[in-house]
Amino acid sequence: MSAPPVSCAWAPWWTPEQLRDFLNHVESVVQARFGEHTVDEAEGTVTVEDMDCVLGLSNLAQTCRAVDSEDWRLIIYGHVARLDDFAPDLLAERLGNYEQLQPDLRVRVVGAHHLNQIDAVSDPLPLGLSACLSVDLDGAACPVDRSYFSEWGVEQGEVMAAALANTLMDEPLTPLEGDDAPEQFQILTGDTLFVTGHLLDFGRTIPDIGDMGAVITVPAAHTVMVCPVELDEQFVDNSATMLAASYIRYLAGPNSVSPNALWWRPGHPLEGFARLDDQSFQLVAPEPLRSQLWNNLKTKRDE
C-alpha cells in the first residue's frame, strides 16, 4: 500500500502516519463488509464497486479525531455499515414512489463537497453553499438525484416546498442557553443533519431581528451562528468573534459545512458577507453595508 499524501485537505490535522493508520482501518472494514473497493486518498472517498456507492471520509475522520485511535475501528464500522441504507436497489425502491416518500423529504444547507458524486437536486446559495433536497433515512441524510424526477412527475419547486415544510415542522433549531452560550452572538443547534434548512425561512427562527438582519454562519450541520447587524463598533467586534468561533467549529467538525458567512435580512434572499474558505478573510458584503463596516473598522483603528 502506498504512503498517503503528506497533507490531505479533508484531514489536515493528522500526520502522514496517523492518516495511514486511519485509512488502513477504513480499508480493512470496507473490505470485510463489502469486498472490492477503491480509495481516493486525495479526495477522501471510498467507492464500493458492487454497490455503486461513494463514501466520503471527512466527517468520519473528524469523528475519529476526537477519540483514541483504539476506538477507531468500532466507529468506522458503524459509519461504513450505513452504506447498506444507500444500496442502489433499496434506494430505487424507496425513492420511486413520491407519495410515500414525501413525509421523509428534507432540505439541508450543504457545501459543494457534498454534491460532487451525484446530480443532486439543489438550489444555489452564496459562497459555495446549496439548499439540497434530501431524504431522511433514519437519521442519515441521502441527497436526491435529479433522475428521480422523471418518475415522480412533480415540479422541483413543489418538491422543495414540501421538503422545506417538513424541515421547519419536524427538525427544530433552538438557541443554546446557559453558561455555554456566548454573549456576543447566538448559537442555534439541532439534533439532526437537516436543521440548517431553517435558513431558507429564517424569520420563523429569529423573528425579533431588525431590518438589517444578521450575519449567519453554518460551520457544521447541527450548528448555525447568528450575529445581529448593527452599524456600530460593537458589531465589528462581535461579528469578528463569531467568525473566529465559527471557523474553529468548522475545522473541528464533525459534519463540517462551510467557514463562510452569509447576510440574512427579512424579506431578502441570502447574500454573501465574508469569505474564509481560502484561509484568509475577505469581506464580500454588498454595498452600502461593506463601506459602512469598513468605515467603522477604520474609525476604530484610528482611535
Side-chain angles (χ1 to χ4, degrees):
M1 184 179 296
S2 60
V6 173
S7 177
C8 281
W10 53 274
W13 53 83
W14 277 335
T15 66
E17 291 75 19
Q18 290 172 319
L19 185 58
R20 172 49 60 206
D21 188 24
F22 170 76
L23 289 172
N24 285 345
H25 280 296
V26 169
E27 293 201 62
S28 176
V29 170
V30 174
Q31 179 65 42
R33 179 83 180 191
F34 298 110
E36 292 298 319
H37 63 278
T38 303
V39 175
D40 187 329
E41 295 176 349
E43 294 296 326
T45 62
V46 176
T47 300
V48 179
E49 281 79 1
D50 288 345
M51 298 178 64
D52 192 28
C53 287
V54 179
L55 174 69
L57 297 177
S58 59
N59 289 338
L60 177 58
Q62 289 175 335
T63 301
C64 287
R65 178 195 184 195
V67 301
D68 293 335
S69 58
E70 63 187 22
D71 298 323
W72 284 3
R73 190 173 183 85
L74 183 60
I75 292 172
I76 291 169
Y77 181 85
H79 190 81
V80 168
R82 295 306 301 269
L83 279 178
D84 288 330
D85 295 331
F86 292 81
D89 291 345
L90 293 177
L91 280 180
E93 180 179 354
R94 184 163 183 177
L95 273 64
N97 188 316
Y98 177 74
E99 295 300 325
Q100 292 182 7
L101 182 70
Q102 194 272 338
D104 296 325
L105 291 175
R106 301 289 188 273
V107 178
R108 62 189 296 232
V109 174
V110 300
H113 59 284
H114 286 89
L115 308 177
N116 289 339
Q117 304 298 329
I118 67 169
D119 183 17
V121 179
S122 62
D123 293 328
L125 300 174
L127 301 182
L129 293 170
S130 295
C132 180
L133 179 66
S134 303
V135 177
D136 179 7
L137 294 179
D138 300 322
C142 174
V144 176
D145 190 283
R146 196 172 301 275
S147 61
Y148 286 103
F149 270 78
S150 61
E151 301 178 42
W152 294 350
V154 184
E155 294 295 327
Q156 178 171 330
E158 180 181 341
V159 175
M160 293 293 279
L164 178 58
N166 291 343
T167 303
L168 297 175
M169 181 174 61
D170 298 330
E171 313 295 343
L173 183 65
T174 58
L176 180 67
E177 298 178 345
D179 295 339
D180 294 332
E183 296 181 359
Q184 302 95 330
F185 56 92
Q186 192 174 40
I187 299 177
L188 308 176
T189 63
D191 294 328
T192 74
L193 296 170
F194 308 105
V195 296
T196 54
H198 282 261
L199 266 64
L200 304 181
D201 194 2
F202 211 35
R204 297 171 180 245
T205 305
I206 50 173
D208 298 328
I209 296 294
D211 292 341
M212 291 299 294
V215 173
I216 57 176
T217 63
V218 190
H222 299 86
T223 305
V224 177
M225 296 186 179
V226 181
C227 184
V229 174
E230 301 287 348
L231 296 180
D232 57 22
E233 296 173 6
Q234 185 175 0
F235 170 72
V236 174
D237 290 338
N238 290 348
S239 60
T241 300
M242 187 187 79
L243 292 179
S246 178
Y247 192 75
I248 292 172
R249 177 69 179 88
Y250 166 76
L251 292 178
N255 298 302
S256 296
V257 177
S258 173
N260 298 324
L262 303 176
W263 184 26
W264 174 85
R265 289 180 291 168
H268 292 263
L270 289 166
E271 299 179 83
F273 179 80
R275 180 180 291 279
L276 293 86
D277 54 10
D278 58 358
Q279 299 183 347
S280 64
F281 176 83
Q282 179 186 7
L283 185 66
V284 297
E287 294 286 359
L289 178 60
R290 183 168 66 247
S291 296
Q292 182 66 56
L293 292 175
W294 277 126
N295 289 338
N296 288 344
L297 183 59
K298 183 178 184 299
T299 299
K300 183 176 180 61
R301 288 176 173 173
D302 291 342
E303 290 178 350

